[in-house]
């Protein structure tokens, strides 16, 4: 017995030495041990790589074989050969991909789809109070721009873009005009702030980030983005700094970076990010058909104009005559150069116009006349509670007077109304007997309470 035992041990050692010189192949994927790594040895000289074993166990857990706890498997009592044959004959379940919703093919933009200037102005009148001259200029500029884009006449006769520069005090409706215009024309709109733009390489946004926002607004559709509108607000913040020796990374250098965008150029833009340094793919956008509208308050521009006009005298040596500026063209462009804008930048914004400061009468109209007027919004909210809300004329005038004192234009109106409507919006849902509420001038001036009328029983 001892001799047989020794003989068996010698044979096992010999077999182990032979196995060391032989490279095993995976029974399933047929990869050699040098590629797949260490194999798992099963009875009947079956070897399986760890990858195939893991996939097998995952399939079992997913219900293709019924759940089997691999920790309690008795491999000696299992018919491994049959199991392997079953596994080889089994085809993996094909993945069923969800059908993507077919994009609705939008009809091509034609000349008939462009409303005439008087129609554009009429649509703007429904939402924006006053600013008739500004609305007329914008209507003509937009009409000419999209007429140029649709007819593609620039192949025969070079037609320049009608980029615009709006100058007006804060709260006069610059951003609101552009938003309304883009909504009426159904074109993608990107609104960006010039204060975040810096020269390439410095902390902040590059000028190309303007187009990144437009591409996002167009759902990454380059063709739609190339026919969109870009509104750069606070453009006066990139004026050239006066009397400074430090590098102007957010002033004149940004103006120079915007030149190629305003005129028209092929620009590489990151998809889904605002910086080229992000690890995202780039796409090319042609800006020749993108309408750029710039707006700013230009707070010190009036001082520059007054300084120019004050230089005239009626007598004395070197005196300027009162009519010395009558024959001089484009005076506002000279004032903008004095403000800190380079001539090349001004030249690419041919449509320069100003917006009027809001008066008391205009503020009262803004409160009640537009389609989405502030008063109409509150009346709709209370109407859901079956309560009628009314404002008498004295209350509207009092609100407008308080807004003028804040010197923030139409933005002040909502803040004032929110303050006085807070208690009303809080108390009305408590009492089901209230039928209507009238806001009076005394309530706005803190001299009384609103008039509350009960419902007819």
């Amino acid at each position: 017995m001892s001799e047989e035992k020794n003989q068996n041990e010698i044979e096992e050692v010999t077999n182990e030495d032979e196995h060391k010189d032989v490279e095993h192949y995976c029974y399933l994927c047929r990869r050699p041990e040098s590629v797949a790594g260490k194999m798992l040895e099963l009875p009947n000289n079956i070897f399986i790589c760890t990858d195939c074993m893991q996939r097998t166990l995952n399939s079992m857990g997913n219900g293709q074989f019924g759940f089997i706890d691999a920790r309690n498997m008795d491999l000696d009592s299992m018919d491994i050969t049959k199991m392997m044959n079953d596994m080889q004959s089994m085809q993996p379940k094909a993945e069923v991909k969800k059908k993507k919703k077919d994009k609705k093919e939008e009809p091509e933009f034609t000349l008939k789809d462009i409303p005439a200037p008087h129609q554009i102005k009429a649509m703007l009148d429904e939402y924006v109070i006053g600013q008739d001259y500004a609305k007329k200029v914008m209507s003509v500029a937009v009409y000419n721009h999209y007429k140029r884009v649709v007819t593609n006449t620039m192949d025969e006769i070079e037609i320049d873009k009608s980029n615009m520069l709006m100058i007006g005090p804060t709260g006069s409706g610059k951003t609101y005009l552009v938003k309304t215009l883009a909504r009426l024309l159904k074109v993608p709109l990107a609104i960006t702030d010039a204060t975040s733009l810096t020269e390439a390489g410095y902390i902040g946004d590059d000028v190309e980030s303007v187009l990144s926002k437009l591409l996002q607004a167009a759902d990454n559709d380059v063709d739609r983005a190339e026919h969109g509108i870009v509104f750069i607000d606070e453009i006066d913040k990139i004026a050239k700094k006066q009397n400074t020796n430090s590098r102007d990374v957010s002033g004149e250098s940004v103006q120079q970076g915007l030149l190629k965008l305003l005129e028209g150029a092929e620009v590489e833009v990151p998809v889904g990010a605002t910086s080229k340094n992000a690890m995202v793919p780039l796409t090319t956008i042609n800006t020749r058909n993108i309408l750029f509208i710039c707006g700013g308050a230009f707070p010190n521009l009036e001082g520059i104009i007054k300084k120019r006009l004050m230089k005239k005298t009626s007598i004395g040596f070197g005196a300027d005559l009162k009519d010395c500026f009558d024959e001089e063209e484009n005076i506002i462009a000279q004032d903008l150069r004095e403000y800190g804008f380079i001539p090349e930048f001004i030249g690419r914004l041919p449509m320069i116009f100003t917006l009027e400061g809001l008066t008391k009468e205009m503020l009262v109209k803004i409160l009640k006349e537009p389609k989405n007027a502030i008063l109409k919004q509150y009346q709709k909210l209370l109407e859901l509670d079956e309560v009628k809300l009314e404002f008498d004329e004295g209350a509207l005038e009092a609100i407008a007077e308080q807004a003028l004192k804040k010197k923030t234009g139409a933005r002040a109106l909502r803040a004032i109304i929110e303050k006085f409507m807070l208690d009303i919006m809080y108390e009305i849902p408590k009492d089901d007997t209230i039928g209507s509420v009238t806001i009076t001038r005394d309530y706005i001036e803190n001299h009384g309470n609103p008039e509350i009328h009960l419902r007819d029983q």
Side-chain angles (χ1 to χ4, degrees), residues 269-287:
V269 177
V271 179
T274 58
S275 174
K276 287 185 178 179
N277 295 327
M279 301 300 291
V280 294
L282 300 177
T283 187
T284 303
I285 293 181
N286 193 330
T287 65

Side-chain angles (χ1 to χ4, degrees), residues 77-176:
S77 62
M78 295 177 62
D79 189 351
I80 302 297
T81 305
K82 183 177 182 302
M83 178 180 171
M84 293 297 107
N85 292 335
D86 292 341
M87 290 171 59
Q88 277 189 317
S89 63
M90 181 189 67
Q91 295 294 330
K93 187 177 180 181
E95 294 182 357
V96 180
K97 294 185 178 180
K98 293 181 179 180
K99 291 184 178 180
K100 294 183 178 179
K101 294 182 179 179
D102 297 334
K103 290 186 177 179
K104 294 182 179 179
E105 294 185 0
E106 297 181 358
E108 190 175 351
F109 202 57
T110 62
L111 191 60
K112 294 181 180 179
D113 298 328
I114 309 173
H118 70 278
Q119 295 174 328
I120 297 176
K121 184 179 180 299
M123 290 187 289
L124 289 175
D125 286 337
E126 295 180 359
Y127 294 91
V128 182
I129 298 299
Q131 313 297 357
D132 289 335
Y133 177 72
K135 288 187 285 190
K136 186 181 294 185
V137 173
M138 292 183 72
S139 301
V140 173
V142 167
Y143 179 70
N144 289 336
H145 172 75
Y146 282 103
K147 189 165 56 173
R148 159 186 175 270
V149 170
V150 171
T151 58
N152 201 21
T153 54
M154 60 184 305
D155 293 338
E156 303 168 2
I157 300 175
E158 191 76 19
I159 301 178
D160 293 332
K161 286 201 298 181
S162 303
N163 295 327
M164 291 176 266
L165 173 61
M166 295 192 292
I167 301 172
T170 179
S172 58
K174 299 184 293 294
T175 306
Y176 191 62

Side-chain angles (χ1 to χ4, degrees), residues 3 6 15 173 176 195 224 331 352 365 380 404 444:
E3 291 180 359
N6 292 335
N15 291 334
Y176 191 62
T195 53
R224 285 193 66 215
I331 293 179
I352 301 176
K365 289 182 179 180
K380 185 65 177 178
L404 286 175
I444 300 298

Side-chain angles (χ1 to χ4, degrees), residues 117-367:
H118 70 278
Q119 295 174 328
I120 297 176
K121 184 179 180 299
M123 290 187 289
L124 289 175
D125 286 337
E126 295 180 359
Y127 294 91
V128 182
I129 298 299
Q131 313 297 357
D132 289 335
Y133 177 72
K135 288 187 285 190
K136 186 181 294 185
V137 173
M138 292 183 72
S139 301
V140 173
V142 167
Y143 179 70
N144 289 336
H145 172 75
Y146 282 103
K147 189 165 56 173
R148 159 186 175 270
V149 170
V150 171
T151 58
N152 201 21
T153 54
M154 60 184 305
D155 293 338
E156 303 168 2
I157 300 175
E158 191 76 19
I159 301 178
D160 293 332
K161 286 201 298 181
S162 303
N163 295 327
M164 291 176 266
L165 173 61
M166 295 192 292
I167 301 172
T170 179
S172 58
K174 299 184 293 294
T175 306
Y176 191 62
L177 271 171
V178 178
K179 284 183 178 180
T180 305
L181 189 64
R183 186 172 68 250
L184 295 176
L185 294 175
K186 298 180 181 178
V187 295
L189 167 68
I191 298 178
T192 187
D193 203 334
T195 53
S196 62
L197 300 178
T198 58
E199 187 178 356
Y202 287 83
I203 295 176
D205 294 335
D206 298 340
V207 292
E208 288 84 1
S209 66
V210 174
L211 298 180
S212 299
K213 293 180 180 179
L214 180 63
L215 188 61
Q216 292 175 9
D219 296 328
N220 293 330
D221 187 339
V222 176
D223 292 334
R224 285 193 66 215
E226 289 181 346
H227 297 84
I229 297 176
V230 173
F231 178 58
I232 306 177
D233 201 5
E234 306 292 346
I235 197 68
D236 51 313
K237 303 303 187 293
I238 62 169
K240 185 166 55 176
K241 304 298 184 294
Q242 303 292 338
N243 302 324
T244 180
N245 295 325
S246 60
R247 186 169 181 82
D248 191 8
V249 299
S250 61
E252 182 179 355
S253 56
V254 176
Q255 295 181 42
Q256 293 171 350
L258 287 171
L259 294 180
K260 61 177 181 179
L261 302 185
L262 296 175
E263 189 169 12
E266 299 276 347
V267 182
E268 286 189 344
V269 177
V271 179
T274 58
S275 174
K276 287 185 178 179
N277 295 327
M279 301 300 291
V280 294
L282 300 177
T283 187
T284 303
I285 293 181
N286 193 330
T287 65
R288 70 173 186 174
N289 291 332
I290 297 176
L291 181 63
F292 286 86
I293 304 175
C294 301
F298 294 86
N300 298 324
L301 187 62
E302 292 181 1
I304 294 174
I305 296 174
K306 289 178 181 178
K307 183 179 177 182
R308 169 172 55 81
L309 296 177
M310 290 292 289
K311 287 183 178 179
K312 59 189 180 184
T313 58
S314 57
I315 59 175
F317 293 102
D320 292 330
L321 300 177
K322 290 184 178 181
D323 59 351
C324 65
F325 297 103
D326 290 349
E327 297 181 0
E328 194 169 354
E329 297 181 357
N330 206 5
I331 293 179
I332 189 66
Q334 296 181 18
D335 295 324
L336 290 173
R337 287 200 296 270
E338 181 71 20
Y339 192 86
F341 283 91
I342 58 177
E344 302 94 316
F345 185 80
I346 300 172
R348 286 166 173 79
L349 297 167
M351 309 296 291
I352 301 176
F353 56 93
T354 59
L355 278 73
E356 307 169 12
L358 299 180
T359 62
K360 176 181 170 181
E361 290 74 18
M362 293 174 68
L363 289 172
V364 171
K365 289 182 179 180
I366 290 172
L367 281 171

